[in-house]
C-alpha cells in the first residue's frame, strides 16, 4: 500500500506529492516548493518519517512544478527526471521565469538526471509507476500511473472538471485531445486522479462530467 502526502506550494497552489510505501522508499512528484517554509516542510517530512527518496519525477517542465528541485538536489542528491520533449523548459529555470512568468529567478537549476520514455516503469520499494506520455499542456507531459493502487498523477493534463492550458509555448490542443481521450480515458474508471492543482477526482467522474473528456 502506498502513502501519499500532498503539499500545496507556491503562489499558484501547485500540488507536490511525496509517495512512499512500507519499505520507506519514496518518490517526490513535481516539487513546486517556492517559499523557504515550503521547502523545509518537505525536507522535514522526508527526514522525520525516515523516508529514503529515490526519484524526483516531473510531470512536465513548467517552473511552478519545479521550483523546489534544487532543494531536493542539495539535500538528497536527487536529480529531476522528465520527458526529453520538455528539456527546453527544464534546462534553465531562470530563463523560463523571465519568458513565461515575467520575473527574475536566481536559484540554480539542477542537472537533469534521466529522460523518461513513454511506457517506462519507475520502481520504488515494492511499487512502480508506469509513465504515460500525455502531450498537450507541454510537449513532454507525463502521467505517472500506479495500476496496483489505482492512482494516477496527472500534472497539468487533467484537473477536476478541467484541463491544463494549451496556449503556452509547445502546447497543442490537438495533442491534448488525444492525451485525454486516447490515454487517460482508457484507464480504469475507479482510478483516482491526483492533479497538479486542485482536488483529487476519478476517471469515472471526469468521464461523466468533464466536457473535455467527451
Amino acid at each position: 500500500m502506498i502513502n501519499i502526502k500532498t503539499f500545496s506550494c507556491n503562489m499558484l497552489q501547485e500540488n507536490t506529492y511525496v509517495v512512499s510505501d512500507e519499505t520507506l522508499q519514496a518518490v517526490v512528484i513535481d516539487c513546486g516548493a517556492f517559499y523557504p517554509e515550503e521547502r523545509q516542510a518537505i525536507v522535514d517530512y522526508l527526514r522525520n518519517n525516515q523516508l529514503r527518496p529515490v526519484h524526483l519525477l516531473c510531470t512536465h517542465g513548467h517552473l511552478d512544478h519545479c521550483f523546489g528541485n534544487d532543494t531536493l538536489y542539495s539535500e538528497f542528491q536527487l536529480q529531476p527526471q522528465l520527458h526529453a520533449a520538455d528539456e527546453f523548459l527544464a534546462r534553465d529555470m531562470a530563463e523560463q521565469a523571465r519568458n513565461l512568468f515575467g520575473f527574475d529567478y536566481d536559484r540554480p537549476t539542477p542537472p537533469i538526471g534521466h529522460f523518461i520514455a513513454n511506457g517506462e516503469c519507475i520502481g520504488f520499494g515494492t511499487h512502480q509507476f508506469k509513465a504515460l506520455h500525455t502531450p498537450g499542456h507541454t510537449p513532454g507531459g507525463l502521467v505517472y500511473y500506479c495500476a496496483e493502487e489505482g492512482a494516477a498523477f496527472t500534472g497539468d493534463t487533467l484537473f477536476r472538471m478541467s484541463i491544463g492550458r494549451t496556449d503556452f509555448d509547445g502546447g497543442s490542443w490537438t495533442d491534448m485531445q488525444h492525451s485525454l481521450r486516447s490515454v487517460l480515458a482508457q484507464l480504469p474508471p475507479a482510478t483516482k486522479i491526483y492533479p497538479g492543482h486542485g482536488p483529487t477526482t476519478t476517471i469515472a467522474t471526469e468521464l461523466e462530467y468533464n466536457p473535455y473528456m467527451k
Side-chain angles (χ1 to χ4, degrees), residues 7-26:
F7 296 85
S8 181
C9 293
N10 68 58
M11 61 289 291
L12 296 180
Q13 296 184 307
E14 178 268 352
N15 291 328
T16 294
Y17 298 101
V18 178
V19 186
S20 58
D21 70 8
E22 68 279 359
T23 70
L24 300 184
Q25 284 198 353

Side-chain angles (χ1 to χ4, degrees), residues 139-212:
L142 289 170
V143 165
Y144 298 105
Y145 172 56
C146 182
E148 178 184 358
E149 300 287 343
F153 298 82
T154 59
D156 286 2
T157 298
L158 179 63
F159 305 134
R160 183 179 182 273
M161 306 301 175
S162 189
I163 62 171
R165 291 171 58 174
T166 61
D167 58 335
F168 291 128
D169 188 18
S172 168
W173 171 238
T174 299
D175 288 346
M176 177 66 87
Q177 288 179 301
H178 180 270
S179 294
L180 293 170
R181 298 169 185 176
S182 299
V183 180
L184 289 178
Q186 304 309 310
L187 295 177
T191 302
K192 191 168 183 178
I193 299 301
Y194 295 85
H197 303 268
T200 59
T201 183
T202 65
I203 289 293
T205 298
E206 298 312 302
L207 285 173
E208 183 170 0
Y209 297 109
N210 190 331
Y212 298 103

Side-chain angles (χ1 to χ4, degrees), residues 68-116:
N69 286 354
D70 63 298
T71 291
L72 293 183
Y73 181 57
S74 63
E75 295 286 342
F76 301 102
Q77 296 73 56
L78 291 179
Q79 294 175 251
Q81 303 173 39
L82 69 159
H83 194 280
D86 271 13
E87 180 184 9
F88 78 105
L89 292 169
R91 67 188 171 209
D92 191 337
M93 294 288 112
E95 179 183 7
Q96 186 186 153
R98 288 190 299 271
N99 294 340
L100 192 61
F101 291 92
F103 71 96
D104 292 328
Y105 185 70
D106 59 2
R107 295 187 69 98
T109 300
I112 296 171
H114 173 64
F115 290 121
I116 299 173

Side-chain angles (χ1 to χ4, degrees), residues 16-95:
T16 294
Y17 298 101
V18 178
V19 186
S20 58
D21 70 8
E22 68 279 359
T23 70
L24 300 184
Q25 284 198 353
V27 299
V28 182
I29 300 175
D30 284 358
C31 189
F34 177 77
Y35 301 106
E37 59 270 25
E38 295 172 348
R39 296 169 182 268
Q40 193 60 51
I42 293 171
V43 171
D44 288 347
Y45 175 79
L46 289 165
R47 290 196 169 136
N48 292 343
N49 289 281
Q50 300 180 312
L51 298 178
R52 301 187 302 277
V54 294
H55 295 289
L56 171 53
L57 304 178
C58 304
T59 61
H60 63 294
H62 278 158
L63 186 58
D64 58 315
H65 293 254
C66 299
F67 276 128
N69 286 354
D70 63 298
T71 291
L72 293 183
Y73 181 57
S74 63
E75 295 286 342
F76 301 102
Q77 296 73 56
L78 291 179
Q79 294 175 251
Q81 303 173 39
L82 69 159
H83 194 280
D86 271 13
E87 180 184 9
F88 78 105
L89 292 169
R91 67 188 171 209
D92 191 337
M93 294 288 112
E95 179 183 7

